[in-house]
Short mmCIF file of all heavy atoms in Angstrom, two decimals:
data_model
loop_
_atom_site.label_atom_id
_atom_site.label_comp_id
_atom_site.label_asym_id
_atom_site.label_seq_id
_atom_site.Cartn_x
_atom_site.Cartn_y
_atom_site.Cartn_z
N PRO A 1 0.84 -1.21 0.00
CA PRO A 1 0.00 0.00 0.00
C PRO A 1 0.87 1.26 0.00
O PRO A 1 1.89 1.32 0.68
CB PRO A 1 -0.78 -0.11 1.31
CG PRO A 1 -0.81 -1.57 1.63
CD PRO A 1 0.51 -2.10 1.13
N SER A 2 0.44 2.24 -0.77
CA SER A 2 1.17 3.51 -0.82
C SER A 2 0.67 4.43 0.28
O SER A 2 -0.43 4.25 0.80
CB SER A 2 0.97 4.18 -2.18
OG SER A 2 -0.34 4.68 -2.30
N PRO A 3 1.46 5.42 0.67
CA PRO A 3 1.04 6.36 1.71
C PRO A 3 -0.24 7.12 1.35
O PRO A 3 -1.00 7.52 2.22
CB PRO A 3 2.22 7.34 1.83
CG PRO A 3 3.39 6.60 1.30
CD PRO A 3 2.84 5.67 0.25
N ASN A 4 -0.47 7.31 0.05
CA ASN A 4 -1.66 8.04 -0.40
C ASN A 4 -2.85 7.13 -0.65
O ASN A 4 -3.90 7.60 -1.08
CB ASN A 4 -1.33 8.81 -1.69
CG ASN A 4 -0.29 9.88 -1.45
OD1 ASN A 4 -0.22 10.45 -0.36
ND2 ASN A 4 0.53 10.13 -2.44
N GLY A 5 -2.66 5.84 -0.44
CA GLY A 5 -3.73 4.88 -0.66
C GLY A 5 -3.57 4.14 -1.97
O GLY A 5 -3.01 4.65 -2.93
N GLY A 6 -4.04 2.93 -2.00
CA GLY A 6 -3.97 2.10 -3.20
C GLY A 6 -2.70 1.30 -3.30
O GLY A 6 -1.72 1.53 -2.58
N ARG A 7 -2.75 0.33 -4.20
CA ARG A 7 -1.62 -0.56 -4.45
C ARG A 7 -1.41 -0.67 -5.95
O ARG A 7 -2.36 -0.90 -6.70
CB ARG A 7 -1.90 -1.95 -3.86
CG ARG A 7 -2.09 -1.91 -2.35
CD ARG A 7 -2.47 -3.24 -1.80
NE ARG A 7 -1.28 -4.09 -1.71
CZ ARG A 7 -1.23 -5.21 -1.00
NH1 ARG A 7 -2.29 -5.63 -0.33
NH2 ARG A 7 -0.13 -5.92 -0.97
N ARG A 8 -0.18 -0.49 -6.40
CA ARG A 8 0.13 -0.58 -7.82
C ARG A 8 0.06 -2.03 -8.27
O ARG A 8 0.55 -2.94 -7.59
CB ARG A 8 1.52 -0.02 -8.08
CG ARG A 8 1.83 0.12 -9.53
CD ARG A 8 3.15 0.78 -9.77
NE ARG A 8 3.61 1.38 -8.53
CZ ARG A 8 4.79 1.91 -8.32
NH1 ARG A 8 5.67 1.94 -9.26
NH2 ARG A 8 5.12 2.41 -7.17
N VAL A 9 -0.52 -2.25 -9.45
CA VAL A 9 -0.66 -3.59 -10.02
C VAL A 9 0.15 -3.63 -11.32
O VAL A 9 -0.03 -2.79 -12.19
CB VAL A 9 -2.14 -3.93 -10.31
CG1 VAL A 9 -2.26 -5.32 -10.92
CG2 VAL A 9 -2.97 -3.82 -9.03
N ARG A 10 1.04 -4.63 -11.41
CA ARG A 10 1.87 -4.82 -12.61
C ARG A 10 1.69 -6.23 -13.13
O ARG A 10 1.56 -7.18 -12.36
CB ARG A 10 3.35 -4.64 -12.30
CG ARG A 10 3.77 -3.28 -11.96
CD ARG A 10 5.28 -3.19 -11.82
NE ARG A 10 5.86 -4.46 -11.40
CZ ARG A 10 6.87 -4.58 -10.57
NH1 ARG A 10 7.43 -3.52 -10.06
NH2 ARG A 10 7.35 -5.75 -10.23
N VAL A 11 1.73 -6.34 -14.45
CA VAL A 11 1.76 -7.65 -15.10
C VAL A 11 2.93 -7.63 -16.07
O VAL A 11 2.98 -6.79 -16.96
CB VAL A 11 0.44 -7.95 -15.85
CG1 VAL A 11 0.58 -9.23 -16.65
CG2 VAL A 11 -0.72 -8.06 -14.89
N GLY A 12 3.88 -8.53 -15.85
CA GLY A 12 5.04 -8.62 -16.72
C GLY A 12 5.81 -7.32 -16.84
O GLY A 12 6.32 -6.99 -17.90
N GLY A 13 5.86 -6.54 -15.78
CA GLY A 13 6.59 -5.29 -15.78
C GLY A 13 5.77 -4.09 -16.23
O GLY A 13 6.21 -2.95 -16.09
N GLU A 14 4.59 -4.30 -16.79
CA GLU A 14 3.73 -3.20 -17.22
C GLU A 14 2.78 -2.82 -16.09
O GLU A 14 2.07 -3.67 -15.53
CB GLU A 14 2.91 -3.61 -18.44
CG GLU A 14 1.96 -2.54 -18.91
CD GLU A 14 1.12 -2.98 -20.09
OE1 GLU A 14 1.41 -4.01 -20.70
OE2 GLU A 14 0.14 -2.27 -20.39
N ILE A 15 2.76 -1.54 -15.73
CA ILE A 15 1.85 -1.07 -14.69
C ILE A 15 0.45 -0.96 -15.27
O ILE A 15 0.23 -0.29 -16.27
CB ILE A 15 2.32 0.29 -14.12
CG1 ILE A 15 3.67 0.13 -13.44
CG2 ILE A 15 1.28 0.84 -13.14
CD1 ILE A 15 4.32 1.44 -13.03
N LEU A 16 -0.50 -1.63 -14.62
CA LEU A 16 -1.89 -1.61 -15.08
C LEU A 16 -2.70 -0.53 -14.40
O LEU A 16 -3.70 -0.07 -14.95
CB LEU A 16 -2.55 -2.98 -14.83
CG LEU A 16 -1.89 -4.17 -15.49
CD1 LEU A 16 -2.68 -5.44 -15.18
CD2 LEU A 16 -1.77 -3.96 -16.99
N GLY A 17 -2.31 -0.15 -13.19
CA GLY A 17 -3.04 0.89 -12.50
C GLY A 17 -2.88 0.79 -11.01
O GLY A 17 -2.12 -0.03 -10.49
N LEU A 18 -3.63 1.64 -10.31
CA LEU A 18 -3.62 1.70 -8.86
C LEU A 18 -4.93 1.12 -8.35
O LEU A 18 -6.00 1.65 -8.65
CB LEU A 18 -3.44 3.15 -8.41
CG LEU A 18 -3.07 3.40 -6.96
CD1 LEU A 18 -1.74 2.75 -6.62
CD2 LEU A 18 -3.01 4.90 -6.70
N ALA A 19 -4.83 0.04 -7.60
CA ALA A 19 -6.02 -0.66 -7.09
C ALA A 19 -6.32 -0.21 -5.67
O ALA A 19 -5.41 0.04 -4.88
CB ALA A 19 -5.79 -2.17 -7.12
N TYR A 20 -7.60 -0.12 -5.36
CA TYR A 20 -8.05 0.25 -4.01
C TYR A 20 -8.80 -0.88 -3.32
O TYR A 20 -9.34 -0.70 -2.25
CB TYR A 20 -8.90 1.52 -4.09
CG TYR A 20 -8.09 2.71 -4.48
CD1 TYR A 20 -7.95 3.07 -5.81
CD2 TYR A 20 -7.39 3.45 -3.52
CE1 TYR A 20 -7.16 4.16 -6.17
CE2 TYR A 20 -6.60 4.53 -3.88
CZ TYR A 20 -6.50 4.87 -5.20
OH TYR A 20 -5.71 5.93 -5.56
N GLY A 21 -8.82 -2.05 -3.97
CA GLY A 21 -9.45 -3.22 -3.40
C GLY A 21 -9.28 -4.39 -4.34
O GLY A 21 -8.86 -4.22 -5.50
N PRO A 22 -9.62 -5.60 -3.89
CA PRO A 22 -9.47 -6.79 -4.73
C PRO A 22 -10.26 -6.70 -6.04
O PRO A 22 -9.83 -7.23 -7.07
CB PRO A 22 -10.00 -7.92 -3.85
CG PRO A 22 -9.84 -7.43 -2.46
CD PRO A 22 -10.05 -5.94 -2.53
N GLY A 23 -11.39 -6.02 -6.02
CA GLY A 23 -12.18 -5.88 -7.24
C GLY A 23 -11.44 -5.12 -8.32
O GLY A 23 -11.55 -5.44 -9.52
N ASP A 24 -10.67 -4.11 -7.91
CA ASP A 24 -9.85 -3.36 -8.87
C ASP A 24 -8.78 -4.25 -9.48
O ASP A 24 -8.52 -4.21 -10.68
CB ASP A 24 -9.19 -2.16 -8.21
CG ASP A 24 -10.16 -1.08 -7.79
OD1 ASP A 24 -11.29 -1.04 -8.32
OD2 ASP A 24 -9.79 -0.27 -6.91
N VAL A 25 -8.14 -5.06 -8.64
CA VAL A 25 -7.11 -5.98 -9.14
C VAL A 25 -7.73 -6.92 -10.17
O VAL A 25 -7.19 -7.12 -11.26
CB VAL A 25 -6.45 -6.78 -8.00
CG1 VAL A 25 -5.46 -7.80 -8.55
CG2 VAL A 25 -5.76 -5.86 -7.01
N ALA A 26 -8.88 -7.50 -9.83
CA ALA A 26 -9.57 -8.41 -10.75
C ALA A 26 -9.90 -7.72 -12.08
O ALA A 26 -9.73 -8.31 -13.15
CB ALA A 26 -10.84 -8.96 -10.10
N GLU A 27 -10.34 -6.48 -12.02
CA GLU A 27 -10.68 -5.75 -13.25
C GLU A 27 -9.44 -5.46 -14.09
O GLU A 27 -9.46 -5.63 -15.31
CB GLU A 27 -11.40 -4.44 -12.91
CG GLU A 27 -11.75 -3.60 -14.12
CD GLU A 27 -12.68 -4.26 -15.13
OE1 GLU A 27 -13.32 -5.29 -14.81
OE2 GLU A 27 -12.78 -3.74 -16.25
N PHE A 28 -8.34 -5.07 -13.46
CA PHE A 28 -7.11 -4.84 -14.21
C PHE A 28 -6.66 -6.13 -14.90
O PHE A 28 -6.23 -6.10 -16.06
CB PHE A 28 -5.99 -4.33 -13.30
CG PHE A 28 -6.20 -2.94 -12.77
CD1 PHE A 28 -5.74 -2.61 -11.51
CD2 PHE A 28 -6.83 -1.96 -13.51
CE1 PHE A 28 -5.89 -1.32 -11.01
CE2 PHE A 28 -7.00 -0.68 -13.02
CZ PHE A 28 -6.53 -0.36 -11.77
N LEU A 29 -6.74 -7.25 -14.18
CA LEU A 29 -6.34 -8.53 -14.76
C LEU A 29 -7.27 -8.93 -15.89
O LEU A 29 -6.81 -9.46 -16.92
CB LEU A 29 -6.27 -9.60 -13.68
CG LEU A 29 -5.24 -9.37 -12.58
CD1 LEU A 29 -5.24 -10.52 -11.60
CD2 LEU A 29 -3.86 -9.12 -13.14
N ARG A 30 -8.56 -8.68 -15.74
CA ARG A 30 -9.51 -8.99 -16.82
C ARG A 30 -9.16 -8.21 -18.08
O ARG A 30 -9.12 -8.76 -19.17
CB ARG A 30 -10.94 -8.66 -16.38
CG ARG A 30 -12.00 -9.06 -17.41
CD ARG A 30 -13.35 -8.46 -17.09
NE ARG A 30 -13.37 -7.02 -17.21
CZ ARG A 30 -13.44 -6.34 -18.37
NH1 ARG A 30 -13.47 -6.99 -19.51
NH2 ARG A 30 -13.47 -5.02 -18.38
N ARG A 31 -8.86 -6.93 -17.91
CA ARG A 31 -8.50 -6.09 -19.06
C ARG A 31 -7.20 -6.56 -19.71
O ARG A 31 -6.98 -6.33 -20.90
CB ARG A 31 -8.35 -4.64 -18.63
CG ARG A 31 -9.66 -4.01 -18.25
CD ARG A 31 -9.45 -2.59 -17.81
NE ARG A 31 -10.68 -1.99 -17.28
CZ ARG A 31 -10.75 -0.78 -16.80
NH1 ARG A 31 -9.67 0.00 -16.76
NH2 ARG A 31 -11.89 -0.32 -16.34
N ALA A 32 -6.32 -7.20 -18.92
CA ALA A 32 -5.04 -7.71 -19.44
C ALA A 32 -5.19 -9.11 -20.03
O ALA A 32 -4.20 -9.71 -20.45
CB ALA A 32 -4.00 -7.72 -18.32
N GLY A 33 -6.43 -9.64 -20.07
CA GLY A 33 -6.67 -10.95 -20.65
C GLY A 33 -6.58 -12.10 -19.68
O GLY A 33 -6.58 -13.25 -20.08
N LEU A 34 -6.52 -11.80 -18.37
CA LEU A 34 -6.46 -12.85 -17.34
C LEU A 34 -7.82 -12.90 -16.63
O LEU A 34 -7.95 -12.49 -15.49
CB LEU A 34 -5.33 -12.55 -16.36
CG LEU A 34 -3.93 -12.50 -16.96
CD1 LEU A 34 -2.93 -11.94 -15.97
CD2 LEU A 34 -3.51 -13.88 -17.42
N ASP A 35 -8.81 -13.40 -17.34
CA ASP A 35 -10.20 -13.36 -16.87
C ASP A 35 -10.50 -14.23 -15.66
O ASP A 35 -11.29 -13.85 -14.81
CB ASP A 35 -11.15 -13.78 -17.99
CG ASP A 35 -11.18 -12.78 -19.13
OD1 ASP A 35 -10.54 -11.73 -19.03
OD2 ASP A 35 -11.86 -13.08 -20.12
N ASP A 36 -9.91 -15.39 -15.59
CA ASP A 36 -10.32 -16.37 -14.58
C ASP A 36 -9.36 -16.48 -13.40
O ASP A 36 -9.16 -17.55 -12.85
CB ASP A 36 -10.47 -17.75 -15.24
CG ASP A 36 -11.59 -17.75 -16.27
OD1 ASP A 36 -12.60 -17.05 -16.05
OD2 ASP A 36 -11.46 -18.45 -17.29
N VAL A 37 -8.77 -15.37 -13.00
CA VAL A 37 -7.83 -15.37 -11.88
C VAL A 37 -8.56 -15.02 -10.59
O VAL A 37 -9.22 -13.99 -10.51
CB VAL A 37 -6.68 -14.37 -12.13
CG1 VAL A 37 -5.76 -14.31 -10.92
CG2 VAL A 37 -5.90 -14.74 -13.37
N ASP A 38 -8.46 -15.90 -9.60
CA ASP A 38 -9.02 -15.62 -8.28
C ASP A 38 -7.98 -14.81 -7.51
O ASP A 38 -6.96 -15.35 -7.08
CB ASP A 38 -9.32 -16.93 -7.56
CG ASP A 38 -9.90 -16.72 -6.17
OD1 ASP A 38 -9.91 -15.57 -5.67
OD2 ASP A 38 -10.35 -17.70 -5.57
N VAL A 39 -8.23 -13.51 -7.37
CA VAL A 39 -7.21 -12.64 -6.77
C VAL A 39 -6.93 -12.98 -5.31
O VAL A 39 -5.88 -12.63 -4.79
CB VAL A 39 -7.57 -11.14 -6.91
CG1 VAL A 39 -7.65 -10.75 -8.36
CG2 VAL A 39 -8.83 -10.78 -6.18
N GLU A 40 -7.84 -13.64 -4.65
CA GLU A 40 -7.65 -13.99 -3.24
C GLU A 40 -6.67 -15.16 -3.05
O GLU A 40 -6.01 -15.24 -2.03
CB GLU A 40 -8.99 -14.36 -2.60
CG GLU A 40 -10.04 -13.28 -2.69
CD GLU A 40 -9.81 -12.14 -1.71
OE1 GLU A 40 -9.21 -12.37 -0.66
OE2 GLU A 40 -10.23 -11.01 -2.03
#
């Protein structure tokens, strides 16, 4: 977690965005083509 809130999500070195919860991580992964990943 960053001091300002959120956690950076990267796939293969590419930053996908700043997540504020597991749902954000799941959405970033879906957009990257990783649809069926259980983030938990």
Side-chain angles (χ1 to χ4, degrees):
S2 72
N4 296 328
R7 299 176 78 165
R8 189 175 346 172
V9 180
R10 291 187 331 218
V11 173
E14 178 182 347
I15 296 172
L16 301 182
L18 194 61
Y20 292 91
D24 292 340
V25 176
E27 178 61 15
F28 291 146
L29 297 182
R30 184 192 67 77
R31 291 179 187 178
L34 299 169
D35 293 355
D36 296 325
V37 176
D38 180 350
V39 299
E40 302 285 332

